[in-house]
Amino acid sequence: MVTLEELQVRTLGECTYDSPLADYVAARSTNAYYVAETDRVLIDDTISLLQARGGIPLDEVPSFEPGGPRRKLFFDPKKTKVGIVTCGGLCPGLNDVIRAIVLELFEHYGVTDITGFKNGYAGLVPGKSPDPITLTPSFVETITDRGGTVLGSSRGGQSVPQIVDNLVHREIDILFVIGGDGSMRGAHAIAEEALERNLPIAVVGVPKTIDNDIPLIGTSFGFQTAYAKAAESIKGARVEVEAAIGGVGVVKVMGRAAGFIACYAALANHDADFVLIPEVPFNLQGENGLLATLRKRVKERGSAVIVLAEGAGQDLIPASRRTDASGNTVLGDFAGFLRAQIARDFKDHDEPLTLRYFDPGYMIRSVPADPADSVYCTRLAQAAVHAAMAGRTDMVIGRPRHRFAHVPISVVVKNTQNVNPDGDLWLSVLESTAQPFDMS
């Protein structure tokens, strides 16, 4: 279990500058919708979870530092220089986060020197990417109309000492890193290098993962837009297979280690008959296996739709030995294997089959954020700016228990968040699809 000590956020020093937002929070105290800066956000939200801690004193219970404006700042807004970088794969909302950071700095803190580093961490190493750009309110005004990121992105690590040297050369006081777990590991290394050199550089992350697999941050921005787009593909698959004889649709969605997109997209419209995710093992063969169950479902209802997270079923095919630029194992083509097995099984049992395959893949991550995600991006970005200006570093902004909070990077990169087979989300999926509880 996570301890209170592990949840302590690093600071660069005493906050001595008056915040221009001090009046916003001066009279506020903790209530159902706001957490005062002197309060804490509990990591446990049930009595039994608290009891499992063994009756430790309240001031030792694991908790997060709350997000939000501070009365005092570490950085002088008049002299502060800021850098922003986006790393890793695309995700809906990247431009929304960039825009909100720039607007918060300009309009509320009076910070006007903001640099956008191009193409991920490569842009922080001189000569490896196009020159950085200056970010202003006019530049970011309409960037949320498009998906992707105006700063570009890349995968793979770069020399951390060179990155810090460049930050020093450019006199950057704050670096905002928008990226996934690999990018956050890079941010942690940059923060560590700066601290080891006694450099007052704040490194604050806004975590991004379309798979929603980063722990302790609540929901990742862009996730809602992604599963909504995936749900459209599932609905299209349902229309296709219902119009065919023996129609079976296979819809592959992102989720190499976590099946959140598959689960939420399936729940969005009740069009899925089976949801296959990495966290729940299944077999193809046997009386309780997927193939026999699928044939039965098609016989009973005339068609069926399978939603497949890309990382599901990897144990049923030969393991891949290749890795991508980020060091992740390249997944095997289980979707192709599954389609071949379905076709063979229906043929062996002399059953008619019309098999359709849908792969929305990169489409769901390249679209602009929907309104709900845009709001979430804005609030995460604002909280990130507040934390950085107050001298917090080596941390990310999250929303655990629906409260904005500061979370140390070292904690969020330890593990991944997964769909719990014993949790209520998977139970809802089983209820919605009516797929068997056990297909092993």
Side-chain angles (χ1 to χ4, degrees):
M1 291 192 292
V2 179
T3 65
L4 178 61
E5 183 179 0
E6 290 177 298
L7 295 176
Q8 299 304 306
V9 173
R10 288 173 161 179
T11 63
L12 296 176
E14 183 182 357
C15 293
T16 58
Y17 296 96
D18 290 333
S19 171
L21 294 176
D23 290 343
Y24 282 57
V25 297
R28 295 178 188 268
S29 58
T30 297
N31 56 54
Y33 308 101
Y34 174 79
V35 184
E37 64 176 284
T38 55
D39 207 340
R40 303 281 296 184
V41 177
L42 295 180
I43 193 171
D44 297 319
D45 65 346
T46 69
I47 292 174
S48 61
L49 287 174
L50 279 172
Q51 289 175 334
R53 299 280 179 183
I56 61 176
L58 189 59
D59 61 358
E60 295 179 17
V61 173
S63 58
F64 302 101
E65 181 179 60
R70 265 52 185 171
R71 290 171 173 80
K72 292 286 186 176
L73 305 179
F74 176 80
F75 291 106
D76 181 354
K78 298 176 183 177
K79 301 177 181 178
T80 302
K81 296 184 178 181
V82 172
I84 303 175
V85 64
T86 53
C87 308
L90 297 183
C91 177
L94 287 167
N95 283 334
D96 297 75
V97 174
I98 295 169
R99 181 178 186 270
I101 289 174
V102 172
L103 294 181
E104 184 68 20
L105 287 167
F106 260 81
E107 295 177 358
H108 291 290
Y109 285 98
V111 175
T112 59
D113 194 331
I114 308 174
T115 300
F117 292 98
K118 302 283 286 184
N119 300 122
Y121 285 135
L124 284 160
V125 178
K128 287 203 170 184
S129 181
D131 290 339
I133 61 175
T134 299
L135 297 175
T136 63
S138 61
F139 180 89
V140 302
E141 183 178 4
T142 60
I143 63 174
T144 57
D145 295 340
R146 289 176 57 85
T149 163
V150 292
L151 296 180
S153 188
S154 66
R155 295 185 182 275
Q158 302 292 335
S159 167
V160 172
Q162 283 186 290
I163 288 175
V164 176
D165 287 344
N166 192 30
L167 294 176
V168 172
H169 173 71
R170 292 183 173 275
E171 301 180 326
I172 298 294
D173 300 296
I174 298 171
L175 177 66
F176 292 104
V177 178
I178 310 167
D181 56 349
S183 305
M184 291 304 118
R185 290 188 181 91
H188 176 62
I190 294 168
E192 291 266 88
E193 178 76 12
L195 289 168
E196 286 179 9
R197 298 191 198 182
N198 292 316
L199 296 172
I201 300 175
V203 182
V204 173
V206 182
K208 166 229 50 150
T209 163
I210 201 168
D211 292 345
N212 199 41
D213 60 355
I214 295 180
L216 299 177
I217 66 166
T219 301
S220 173
F221 76 83
F223 171 68
Q224 177 170 295
T225 303
Y227 79 70
K229 285 296 178 183
E232 293 176 5
S233 295
I234 297 171
K235 184 175 288 293
R238 170 57 67 189
V239 171
E240 282 283 344
V241 299
E242 284 184 346
I245 297 174
V248 173
V250 177
V251 184
K252 186 177 83 168
V253 298
M254 288 188 166
R256 60 179 299 117
F260 288 104
I261 289 181
C263 290
Y264 276 85
L267 288 170
N269 48 33
H270 290 254
D271 283 321
D273 296 276
F274 301 93
V275 177
L276 307 179
I277 61 175
E279 297 91 335
V280 179
F282 59 91
N283 284 325
L284 297 181
Q285 309 299 332
E287 184 179 349
N288 295 325
L290 173 64
L291 296 176
T293 309
L294 174 64
R295 267 188 288 106
K296 182 180 178 182
R297 181 67 59 91
V298 174
K299 272 189 175 182
E300 292 174 347
R301 302 186 181 181
S303 62
V305 173
I306 301 170
V307 179
L308 170 69
E310 62 181 334
Q314 294 297 304
D315 58 319
L316 302 178
I317 58 176
S320 170
R321 297 182 179 180
R322 295 182 296 142
T323 58
D324 61 21
S326 298
N328 300 312
T329 300
V330 175
L331 297 174
D333 182 19
F334 178 73
F337 177 77
L338 175 61
R339 299 197 309 274
Q341 292 297 308
I342 292 172
R344 179 180 299 174
D345 183 74
F346 272 69
K347 182 178 180 180
D348 289 346
H349 289 84
D350 199 26
E351 297 287 350
L353 173 67
T354 304
L355 185 58
R356 298 283 186 259
Y357 178 59
F358 304 80
D359 184 0
Y362 289 97
M363 292 176 60
I364 70 173
R365 72 177 201 172
S366 61
V367 298
D370 68 17
D373 257 329
S374 291
V375 171
Y376 190 36
C377 289
T378 296
R379 299 190 69 190
L380 286 170
Q382 290 170 341
V385 171
H386 300 322
M389 291 300 295
R392 303 308 193 264
T393 190
D394 197 16
M395 55 147 282
V396 302
I397 288 294
R399 201 185 180 198
R401 310 306 182 202
H402 299 285
R403 304 278 199 175
F404 288 96
H406 303 164
V407 187
I409 296 178
S410 58
V411 176
V412 300
V413 299
K414 270 187 176 180
N415 303 294
T416 58
Q417 175 175 261
N418 301 100
V419 176
N420 189 331
D422 294 324
D424 59 1
L425 173 61
W426 185 243
L427 178 60
S428 291
V429 171
L430 294 177
E431 293 180 76
S432 174
T433 61
Q435 74 186 63
F437 175 76
D438 184 4
M439 290 193 295
S440 60

